[in-house]
Amino acid sequence: MKVQYLLLIACLLVACKSKHTKPGIDSSKIKKLKVLPASYKMSNRDIQTNADTSEIGEQRDAYADYYVVIADTGLNYYSLRDKMFELNHATGVAIDTMDQYYDKQKDLIKLPDNYDDDILAGQYVMRRYPSKTLSLEYLESYKNDSDKKMIALVTDIYENKSSADSALKALQPISAFSIKSKIYIGCIH
């Protein structure tokens, strides 16, 4: 599974060179990443004392620790979607599907096959940045040891624990929870 993620990230990073960044982001401050082959293994003995290790630091900079607030989880997309609509109605928090939908035949939350971005078309793309919107996401994206098809009703993503704790209190009496997640925030195309 990790090899598949590495290959997906490698493909997405290759596409980064031809696309522009989002407006408002100073592209000169975005660090470039070097993608290593899946068979590459780093150990302390591989790094010489005078070796340039700046690329290692840049790879670490492509991830951020965020707190993901989850209202519910399950394997039934439609049941969670109904709960998402109920939560939207009760709280007024917007729903953001990021143009994704559930493909019943493929049993997959995904972007349309004819999506404008050929690299992402037909793929699942997780929420990666702090936001206060409702969406249905694969829990495995945020918690590695989760079932591959477990779906999470995500309500918020925060940069700090205190904000996530406040959001949990606001969701009571729902038995929501939050998890600290290391999320890839680098360029995906």
Side-chain angles (χ1 to χ4, degrees):
M1 185 52 135
K2 290 181 181 180
V3 172
Q4 291 173 332
Y5 282 119
L6 263 173
L7 291 175
L8 177 60
I9 290 171
C11 290
L12 296 174
L13 289 174
V14 169
C16 287
K17 295 180 182 182
S18 63
K19 299 288 182 179
H20 297 285
T21 59
K22 291 182 180 180
I25 296 176
D26 183 1
S27 62
S28 66
K29 293 182 180 177
I30 296 176
K31 296 181 179 180
K32 302 296 180 195
L33 230 251
K34 179 179 179 183
V35 178
L36 302 172
S39 63
Y40 179 82
K41 291 184 180 179
M42 183 186 322
S43 68
N44 289 338
R45 62 182 158 75
D46 292 337
I47 301 174
Q48 299 171 3
T49 55
N50 62 352
D52 179 12
T53 59
S54 62
E55 289 179 7
I56 295 168
E58 289 174 6
Q59 288 176 356
R60 279 190 218 116
D61 290 345
Y63 289 87
D65 287 331
Y66 290 142
Y67 295 85
V68 182
V69 178
I70 299 170
D72 200 0
T73 61
L75 296 172
N76 187 316
Y77 174 86
Y78 295 105
S79 172
L80 287 169
R81 183 186 67 174
D82 290 345
K83 288 180 183 180
M84 181 174 66
F85 287 130
E86 289 171 12
L87 196 55
N88 165 260
H89 182 66
T91 64
V93 176
I95 295 172
D96 184 4
T97 63
M98 299 187 325
D99 296 327
Q100 297 184 103
Y101 71 100
Y102 179 70
D103 185 328
K104 193 173 183 176
Q105 289 180 330
K106 293 184 179 180
D107 187 27
L108 179 68
I109 299 170
K110 67 179 196 122
L111 289 166
D113 292 329
N114 62 351
Y115 192 68
D116 292 340
D117 188 329
D118 293 337
I119 293 173
L120 300 178
Q123 301 294 318
Y124 165 71
V125 179
M126 66 185 266
R127 277 174 61 183
R128 303 183 311 137
Y129 298 102
S131 62
K132 186 171 177 65
T133 57
L134 303 173
S135 65
L136 296 176
E137 307 290 334
Y138 286 113
L139 184 59
E140 182 185 43
S141 300
Y142 306 105
K143 188 175 179 213
N144 293 337
D145 61 348
S146 299
D147 181 317
K148 188 176 182 176
K149 290 292 183 173
M150 182 63 68
I151 301 169
L153 171 49
V154 174
T155 63
D156 311 281
I157 299 177
Y158 292 102
E159 292 183 61
N160 58 59
K161 185 171 179 9
S162 61
S163 296
D165 291 345
S166 295
L168 286 172
K169 287 179 185 174
L171 285 172
Q172 288 180 352
I174 296 173
S175 59
F177 62 97
S178 71
I179 56 173
K180 183 178 181 181
S181 182
K182 186 170 283 304
I183 298 175
Y184 178 75
I185 58 169
C187 182
I188 61 170
H189 69 96

